[in-house]
Amino acid sequence: MESIKTLLALEQPKLGEGVKASILPRGGAFLIGLVVIILLARFLNPSYPIAPVAGVLSAAVILQVGAYLLLRQERLLIPLSWSILVTDVLVIALVIYFTGGIESIFLWTYLALVIAWAYIAGLRGSIATGALSLVSLWLLVGLDSGGILPHHQLLPLATRLYRDPSVMGPILAIDSLAIPLMIWLGAHLPSIRQRENLEGGYLSGVQAFVDAVEAKDPHTRGHSERVSRYAVLIAQELGLERKEVKLIRDAGLVHDVGKMFLPEEVLTQRGALEPAQQAAMMSHPMLSYEVLKRSGHSPELLHPVRHHHEWYGGGGYPDGLSGESIPLAARILAVADAFEAMTAGRYYKARMSIEQAAEEISKGKGTQFDPRVVDAFIRRMKRGEVPPPRPMEPIPTEMEAIKVPLARHQLPWTLGMMTMSQYKASTILFRLGQEVRSVLDLGAVLTKVLSLLKETQGYNNCAIFLKEETGDLVMQAAIGYRIHQKGDRVAKGEGIIGWVSEYDVVRLIPDVTVDQSYLESSSFKWGAMLAAPLSTEGKVVGVLVIENEIVEAFTSDDAHLLEVIGPYIAAVIEVALLHQQTKTAALYDSLTGVHNHRYFYERLEQELMRSHRHGHPLTVAIIDVDDLKKVNDLKGHLAGDQALRRMGHTLKENVRASDIVARYGGDEFAIIMPETEKEEAEKVIRRLMILLDATTVQYNAETFAMPTRSYGLATFPWDGDNPTELFAVADTLLYQAKAKRA
């Protein structure tokens, strides 16, 4: 049952947003229907009484306007959405009835309505609409045909046709069977829409990454977009189907996504690439392929991306394919990619004109490029359909003679000079960006990071310690052996974990038993340990600790991997920390650390609703600090702030977990005590007053007693059933207590 409630809660925002988006189209459809009926009545049946149907449709349009305004209130989204569904069915039913019932030309609108609500609210929407439509169809047609309701005839049809069973029967049967069919079709619409949205959104996200990489170099800015445009021209010239053209367009947009994992010096190198740099550059088709494969894209998109640097005559990379074994889409991309590079220019080679580039591509027919693809592109070029290259800043003349060698037969595909740890780091960083970038909850971010390390690297025992302002470290998340040690603290500079935090250096400990400080930091007390700082822009936000029971389980490759991914993990954590701080600022009082006035009122309304529903009592207490002004006058406002801070801490630490403590005003605190009678609440408050009497305040090496206090209590339902009434009673009792104290 709880899982169903959770599912409904998750679906509610989607339902409300879907209804909001459909308000204007729905209102427009009602207006169009009204216009059609008026025109039909005027030209075909001047005696037709237009008033009833005009009233229904006009009311429906007005209802859409009202719903549009009301749906701005988030709490009304769900009930109003389902009310609109019922109203839609009713409006359609009345329109059909007033335009002839079984003879109505609008009988098909039931089917359109089922599909529309399936798109808005999924299976539940289609079932609800379909069921209501069937009921209203049979009810109104029956009442109309039976003479119980007056008949409204819009079309000049044969008299009493609507009572002819030979006409009514087939129409009712067809419509009755079509509605369940629409329900079935509607059940599949959300999944189709979701898949399209996910694929489109993912490709847009990947393209954004590509754009960011290309923006680093003015020569490659917009490269993928232009390659995609040229590839589409070739595909169209070859007469490919629209679906294939779209696939080639998408492949062109993301074919270089793997470059985001390449070092910046490789992407922006002004001279000839060193062997290691060229090997890294040659890895980008495979990296792009892996990136897109992990996201679940089809082979039709993956293969062109992987093979767009293969040569038609053999000798390309990554797989050394040749001829027709290279997918046609990849052969198209190869020509488009080469043409764009020639006409845009690079630091190591001057740009060419369209004519020069066409000549160079023609020279590569049969060796580097598919002759058929080249000919198709040349034909488009001769017809002037290839757009001219964009304006480009001049390339330095001293770079114009520099060449970069092409792939040769003797250089088969390997990872080249790109180490396995670099490749693993690329994979982890991409997945980190995809899976964590939309997560803002700190706990969820930390858990996802550790799970990703376990999945990709087999790190079964790891933990993340976050750094506090004092420099101490607190363990906030763990998997494996430390999972039950959340909250463990490491003092500033203490052990290997504290040392890594202070000096911002990765430490690899092959055997923790060789040094006492290592042993103290280890959870196993034997085996190997890795500790890596999580730092961004010179600021350490935490330490990642990885352990293994086996001595020398980690190598320098593991240490290098953590050096590479550490700053990215730190950046993700810092964003989550900022979000947490913003969220905390919205809920808590910055001085005392207890909840603020706004949160208190929202929570009180929620607790009162729960008490109403279950019949439980609820008590509200207001505590006023009587002598705070005296402290401010004698010792200064900072001393008064310290007294409030100390009082807030004492109250928060000595109430039940279900109680809510808040700063209600300048010198007032308030407490919500759910499921608490007044007598029990009185005992709790008296105990708190005794604790506060025994509490002292320290400020500037001076200690003084906690200022005196007065309080008032009010209990639901006896003293009131809403916040205003409860506070009025509590406030009255508070001032009576203050008067007695004076």
Side-chain angles (χ1 to χ4, degrees), residues 27 55 119 244 293 298 389 393 418 430 494 496 534 647 665 689:
Y119 195 75
E244 294 174 297
K293 182 181 178 182
S298 66
E393 63 183 32
M418 192 177 191
F430 174 77
E494 179 185 349
I496 192 63
L534 303 176
M647 186 176 296
M689 294 301 107

Side-chain angles (χ1 to χ4, degrees), residues 37 40 48 53 92-110 137 141 144 151-155 157 161-162 171 175:
I37 292 170
L40 286 173
Y48 173 74
V53 72
I92 295 298
L94 290 174
V95 168
I96 291 172
Y97 165 66
F98 283 123
T99 55
I102 201 69
E103 304 169 339
S104 175
I105 61 171
F106 296 103
L107 206 58
W108 59 271
T109 53
Y110 273 132
L137 172 66
V141 167
D144 186 14
H151 182 61
H152 296 263
Q153 189 169 347
L154 173 62
L155 299 178
L157 300 174
L161 187 65
Y162 65 99
I171 294 177
D175 224 33

Side-chain angles (χ1 to χ4, degrees), residues 107-377:
L107 206 58
W108 59 271
T109 53
Y110 273 132
L111 309 181
L113 191 64
V114 173
I115 290 293
W117 273 97
Y119 195 75
I120 294 170
L123 179 60
R124 289 182 298 137
S126 64
I127 291 175
T129 311
L132 290 172
S133 298
L134 278 172
V135 170
S136 65
L137 172 66
W138 281 85
L139 180 64
L140 286 176
V141 167
L143 294 175
D144 186 14
S145 302
I148 300 171
L149 290 175
H151 182 61
H152 296 263
Q153 189 169 347
L154 173 62
L155 299 178
L157 300 174
T159 306
R160 307 180 71 83
L161 187 65
Y162 65 99
R163 290 187 178 180
D164 185 348
S166 64
V167 174
M168 284 180 54
I171 294 177
L172 278 175
I174 291 171
D175 224 33
S176 299
L177 291 173
I179 287 176
L181 180 63
M182 292 302 104
I183 293 174
W184 177 84
L185 178 62
H188 292 79
L189 275 180
S191 59
I192 295 170
R193 180 178 60 171
Q194 184 181 29
R195 184 166 63 248
E196 290 175 349
N197 289 343
L198 282 175
E199 185 169 343
Y202 180 81
L203 283 174
S204 298
V206 171
Q207 190 182 350
F209 272 119
V210 174
D211 292 343
V213 172
E214 292 176 354
K216 295 178 180 179
D217 181 353
H219 300 83
T220 59
R221 190 176 295 123
H223 165 76
S224 294
E225 186 178 346
R226 291 189 295 277
V227 168
S228 178
R229 194 183 311 139
Y230 298 147
V232 165
L233 291 175
I234 299 171
Q236 291 172 339
E237 182 67 21
L238 290 171
L240 301 186
E241 294 180 2
R242 181 178 297 181
K243 182 180 178 181
E244 294 174 297
V245 174
K246 180 182 179 300
L247 187 79
I248 289 171
R249 182 203 68 188
D250 291 343
L253 290 173
V254 299
H255 73 286
D256 276 347
V257 65
K259 287 184 178 178
M260 69 173 144
F261 298 128
L262 300 182
E264 188 166 347
E265 60 268 19
V266 173
L267 298 174
T268 58
Q269 175 77 352
R270 286 178 171 266
L273 293 174
E274 298 293 330
Q277 293 175 322
Q278 184 169 342
M281 178 62 81
M282 290 174 63
S283 71
H284 83 267
M286 178 63 87
L287 290 172
S288 301
Y289 172 84
E290 290 294 334
V291 162
L292 297 168
K293 182 181 178 182
R294 286 183 179 274
S295 71
H297 279 285
S298 66
E300 287 80 8
L301 181 73
L302 294 175
H303 293 317
V305 170
R306 176 173 180 136
H307 299 300
H308 72 276
H309 277 293
E310 304 284 4
W311 281 27
Y312 190 76
Y317 58 90
D319 297 315
L321 302 181
S322 62
E324 299 297 317
S325 63
I326 305 171
L328 175 59
R331 286 177 266 151
I332 291 172
L333 283 181
V335 172
D337 190 38
F339 177 80
E340 197 288 327
M342 293 176 190
T343 55
R346 294 294 184 264
Y347 278 120
Y348 50 80
K349 190 169 186 178
R351 66 187 301 180
M352 298 180 182
S353 66
I354 289 181
E355 294 74 18
Q356 290 172 325
E359 185 180 347
E360 286 295 317
I361 287 176
S362 296
K363 290 178 182 177
K365 287 168 61 174
T367 53
Q368 188 172 354
F369 307 119
D370 180 349
R372 187 163 65 102
V373 173
V374 172
D375 291 342
F377 193 43

